[in-house]
Amino acid sequence: MGKTEEILNQFHQVSRDVLIPMLQAVQDECGYLSEEAIEKIGSHLSLPASKIYGLATFYNQFRFAPTGKFHIQVCNGSACHLDHSISILKELFKHLGIRDGETTRDGMFSLEVLACIGACGQSPVIAINGVYYPKVKAGMIKDILEITKLKSS
Amino acid sequence: MVNKTQIRIALRNCGLINPERIEEYISEKGYMALGKVLTEMSQEEAVNIIIDSGLRGRGGAGFPTGIKWDYARKSVSDQKYVVCNADEGDPGAFMDRSILEGDPHSVLEAMAICGYCIGADKGLVYIRAEYPLAIERLNIAITQAREFGLLGDDIMGSGFSFDIEIRYGAGAFVCGEETALIHSMEGERGEPSLKPPFPAESGYLGKPTNVNNVETLANIPVIYLKGADWFSGIGTEKSKGTKVFALAGKVNNVGLIEVPMGTTLREVIYEIGGGIREGKKFKAVQTGGPSGGCLTEKHLDTPIDYDNLIANGSMMGSGGMIVMDEDNCMVSIAKFYLDFTVEESCGKCAPCRIGNKRLNELLGRICEGKGTEADLDRLRNLGEVIKDTSLCGLGQSSPNPVLSTLDNFYDEYISHVRDKKCPSGVCKDLMEYFIIEENCVGCTACARACPVGAITGERKEPHLINPEICIMCGACMEKCKFDAVILK
């Protein structure tokens, strides 16, 4: 039995209102929602895949491609925006060679821009795999990436 | 930040008790309000206390909480629901996260009280999946409350049963709107629907549902302990109690503050916030996030409450307060908020889906120096139409950042469209590279780096950039070792 089936079987209820929790559980486990996983959820809930895509693409949380080993989130909330989060983003573009929503070819880094991660007192903020880096300056990006790379080896 | 102008009601326990130990909450009179309500009051009496307190919803619109509870109480149904809206998607606000992380039991207690008042036995917390710590502490709190018999069957031997479940939001700003939130919990796209029917009649799964924001709920237990009169003695005539603001931006002290309604912006920014960073000049304060507007110096002495903010073209929103200084361009700020709204509009109604997109394009043209004065009139007209005709609160408030900056900073818009200049030096397309004569030693590094030959000058003489030829690549600025090249 595949991972997706195992997750689906943990849900006792089979109705539309468990669809979002199901998608969340599958994404948590697999890192993203594959076509195959969506098909399986669809047949489990007797819903066409188109309906599930219609729902999943509505929400920012769901991804349809795997993220990198290190997922970098750049906050562009009001406070971070005023503190030049854009210059941090540009620096990341430069060093990683990818735009937001993309993953580097070696699968190491992926980049995402968020509307606000709720740490406005520490602006500007970026998060790598959920770990916050407060009061980041564009000049620090190179070092942060180097250190992160070291962690992987 | 300790200051005499601050009163902590919603944040009363945050940072003072260990949120992972229910004993500490109980020692601060926790769950006493629930006990009092369950043993001493009828449903009607309990609801009347909230009505008398004058508490209004802290999520944004400011609807009287007691009235909302009363509607839900009067609805007849075999099943009702209490929903806590913790889907804090407003950029620049983090009070709900702080309350859930610092004092989760106060929210649980309030939900149980609400459940008793309206006759519901099931509560749901709809929380952002991006708040892992808040989710963890909420889970711990729910487990502990069940162990202590404060949630579950027959609470305190009263015969009243209530239990709470957590649902994770999937990240959509519009889900802060209660009907959209309910659709999202039902496993649908989070699109709002027309009210009436209000959720109090037909909400989650078609049953009467009461939706309250985290901060609103955090106020509830204290009101029962200290009385409605005590609560309504704080604040202004129509806005009672306190409000938590997330103070951020260009002030010296950033963070959460809780002040009585009616405190002025000046007190908040200069006394609590400690003034503007680096001694710069105050320019504007943006309240209410993407739904709010920008207030300026002339509003500094206006007492902050729901009605005053709306009268001045802004709104309370969820309480984000972003302070801006002279270096911020108001046109680009308006565009920043519109970018967000365009991204987050659910697309159900045309004014919001198409109108905001068009507003954003107009602002984009103005920032690029392609705007005309007629565009400014178009902005205002379109903004007002969107406000009047959108389906839900998102569209009805989304033009606020544009309309309020047009009202208060018209001169900046004029500089952008007439003089093609950005006075604050933010809009890159309206700026030029420029060589400061005093700093330039004539080393020719910039001229050699320029790919289009826009820089001329003799060796050892100050150089000059021809803006007609310059393609704004920035190579000269990078090469200059004397800080002689600037953007302005």
Side-chain angles (χ1 to χ4, degrees), chain B residues 184-364:
Chain B
S184 172
M185 290 200 304
E186 288 168 344
E188 305 280 345
R189 288 163 66 102
E191 290 172 349
S193 47
L194 201 61
K195 296 192 272 191
F198 288 92
E201 300 155 45
S202 169
Y204 181 55
L205 304 177
K207 305 290 184 189
T209 305
N210 181 73
V211 185
N212 282 134
N213 164 270
V214 172
E215 193 191 332
T216 317
L217 289 170
N219 278 296
I220 300 282
V222 204
I223 295 176
Y224 285 104
L225 292 178
K226 296 198 177 176
D229 292 339
W230 166 79
F231 190 81
S232 60
I234 304 168
T236 63
E237 196 193 336
K238 284 183 177 163
S239 304
K240 304 296 184 192
T242 56
K243 175 78 188 93
V244 182
F245 290 102
L247 193 59
K250 306 285 181 76
V251 280
N252 283 313
N253 308 324
V254 293
L256 285 188
I257 59 162
E258 183 167 356
V259 290
M261 297 278 187
T263 307
T264 63
L265 284 169
R266 187 184 298 281
E267 285 170 307
V268 169
I269 295 166
Y270 287 95
E271 285 176 29
I272 301 172
I276 309 296
R277 264 194 249 161
E278 294 163 21
K280 294 210 170 161
K281 198 167 168 287
F282 166 82
K283 185 169 191 178
V285 55
Q286 211 277 353
T287 66
S291 329
C294 290
L295 301 176
T296 169
E297 224 170 341
K298 68 178 182 209
H299 302 112
L300 275 178
D301 293 309
T302 311
I304 311 168
D305 67 9
Y306 290 100
D307 309 289
N308 274 337
L309 286 180
I310 288 177
N312 288 303
S314 184
M315 76 188 266
M316 189 70 87
S318 57
M321 203 177 256
I322 311 281
V323 181
M324 298 165 205
D325 67 12
E326 50 196 317
D327 293 340
N328 297 121
C329 165
M330 303 316 287
V331 184
S332 100
I333 292 292
K335 176 153 183 358
F336 166 74
Y337 282 108
L338 249 290
D339 279 340
F340 177 81
T341 322
V342 166
E343 183 66 25
E344 291 297 335
S345 169
C346 77
K348 185 171 180 175
C349 73
C352 178
R353 182 184 67 238
I354 305 170
N356 283 319
K357 180 96 183 147
R358 293 291 98 86
L359 267 187
N360 199 19
E361 286 166 0
L362 281 170
L363 285 171

Side-chain angles (χ1 to χ4, degrees), chain A residues 16-17 19-20 24 54-55 58-62 76-79 81-83 115-116 118-121, chain B residues 91-92 97 128 168-171 184-190 204 254 277 322 328 333 336-337 340 344:
Chain A
R16 179 85 194 230
D17 59 327
L19 177 54
I20 293 178
Q24 285 169 331
L55 176 114
F58 181 86
Y59 294 101
N60 298 333
Q61 191 191 1
F62 299 117
N76 191 27
S78 333
H81 179 78
L82 290 186
D83 279 322
C116 185
C120 312
Chain B
R97 175 175 66 87
R128 276 184 86 176
Y168 306 115
S184 172
M185 290 200 304
E186 288 168 344
E188 305 280 345
R189 288 163 66 102
Y204 181 55
V254 293
R277 264 194 249 161
I322 311 281
N328 297 121
I333 292 292
F336 166 74
Y337 282 108
F340 177 81
E344 291 297 335

Side-chain angles (χ1 to χ4, degrees), chain B residues 432-442 446-447 454-456 461-466 476 480 483-488:
Chain B
E432 288 170 357
Y433 282 97
F434 185 80
I435 295 176
I436 306 174
E437 223 170 283
E438 295 85 69
N439 291 4
C440 180
V441 296
C446 57
I455 304 178
T456 51
E461 293 288 325
H463 281 44
L464 197 70
I465 301 177
N466 184 348
C476 49
C480 182
D483 292 329
V485 185
I486 56 161
L487 253 180
K488 76 168 196 184

Side-chain angles (χ1 to χ4, degrees), chain A residues 63-79:
Chain A
R63 291 186 293 266
F64 306 94
T67 56
K69 190 168 176 192
F70 296 103
H71 187 55
I72 306 177
Q73 294 170 311
V74 181
C75 178
N76 191 27
S78 333

Side-chain angles (χ1 to χ4, degrees), chain B residues 12-316:
Chain B
R12 63 194 177 281
N13 292 326
C14 289
L16 299 176
I17 63 167
N18 179 349
E20 299 183 7
R21 280 172 54 90
I22 189 172
E23 293 90 345
E24 294 201 16
Y25 178 67
I26 292 174
S27 75
E28 295 296 322
K29 299 187 176 167
Y31 290 102
M32 265 180 67
L34 178 63
K36 193 170 162 187
V37 172
L38 291 183
T39 52
E40 296 171 16
M41 294 180 202
S42 70
Q43 290 178 323
E44 196 175 350
E45 282 166 354
V47 171
N48 283 337
I49 287 185
I50 299 300
I51 294 179
D52 294 341
S53 75
L55 177 66
R56 292 169 67 174
R58 300 292 193 244
F63 190 82
T65 308
I67 310 275
K68 207 174 190 179
W69 285 21
D70 205 37
Y71 284 142
R73 182 181 70 82
K74 285 176 181 154
S75 290
V76 183
S77 173
D78 54 334
Q79 175 77 58
K80 295 182 188 176
Y81 295 98
V82 176
V83 174
C84 168
N85 181 351
D87 188 47
E88 191 174 51
D90 194 344
F94 50 101
M95 58 283 296
D96 293 354
R97 175 175 66 87
S98 301
I99 292 172
L100 289 169
E101 285 178 3
D103 191 15
H105 285 288
S106 69
V107 177
L108 300 184
E109 182 181 6
M111 286 176 75
I113 294 172
C114 177
Y116 173 75
C117 289
I118 68 168
D121 63 359
K122 192 144 175 68
L124 298 150
V125 182
Y126 185 86
I127 184 168
R128 276 184 86 176
E130 286 96 336
Y131 284 174
L133 183 64
I135 292 171
E136 185 191 322
R137 293 201 169 147
L138 203 53
N139 271 315
I140 295 173
I142 292 175
T143 313
Q144 289 178 343
R146 280 185 194 140
E147 281 167 14
F148 276 63
L150 298 165
L151 285 179
D153 291 332
D154 191 19
I155 297 170
M156 299 185 197
S158 63
F160 167 69
S161 303
F162 191 77
D163 208 356
I164 294 174
E165 209 182 283
I166 299 184
R167 289 296 175 85
Y168 306 115
F173 177 65
V174 69
C175 288
E177 205 279 341
E178 53 185 6
T179 58
L181 183 150
I182 289 168
H183 291 310
S184 172
M185 290 200 304
E186 288 168 344
E188 305 280 345
R189 288 163 66 102
E191 290 172 349
S193 47
L194 201 61
K195 296 192 272 191
F198 288 92
E201 300 155 45
S202 169
Y204 181 55
L205 304 177
K207 305 290 184 189
T209 305
N210 181 73
V211 185
N212 282 134
N213 164 270
V214 172
E215 193 191 332
T216 317
L217 289 170
N219 278 296
I220 300 282
V222 204
I223 295 176
Y224 285 104
L225 292 178
K226 296 198 177 176
D229 292 339
W230 166 79
F231 190 81
S232 60
I234 304 168
T236 63
E237 196 193 336
K238 284 183 177 163
S239 304
K240 304 296 184 192
T242 56
K243 175 78 188 93
V244 182
F245 290 102
L247 193 59
K250 306 285 181 76
V251 280
N252 283 313
N253 308 324
V254 293
L256 285 188
I257 59 162
E258 183 167 356
V259 290
M261 297 278 187
T263 307
T264 63
L265 284 169
R266 187 184 298 281
E267 285 170 307
V268 169
I269 295 166
Y270 287 95
E271 285 176 29
I272 301 172
I276 309 296
R277 264 194 249 161
E278 294 163 21
K280 294 210 170 161
K281 198 167 168 287
F282 166 82
K283 185 169 191 178
V285 55
Q286 211 277 353
T287 66
S291 329
C294 290
L295 301 176
T296 169
E297 224 170 341
K298 68 178 182 209
H299 302 112
L300 275 178
D301 293 309
T302 311
I304 311 168
D305 67 9
Y306 290 100
D307 309 289
N308 274 337
L309 286 180
I310 288 177
N312 288 303
S314 184
M315 76 188 266
M316 189 70 87

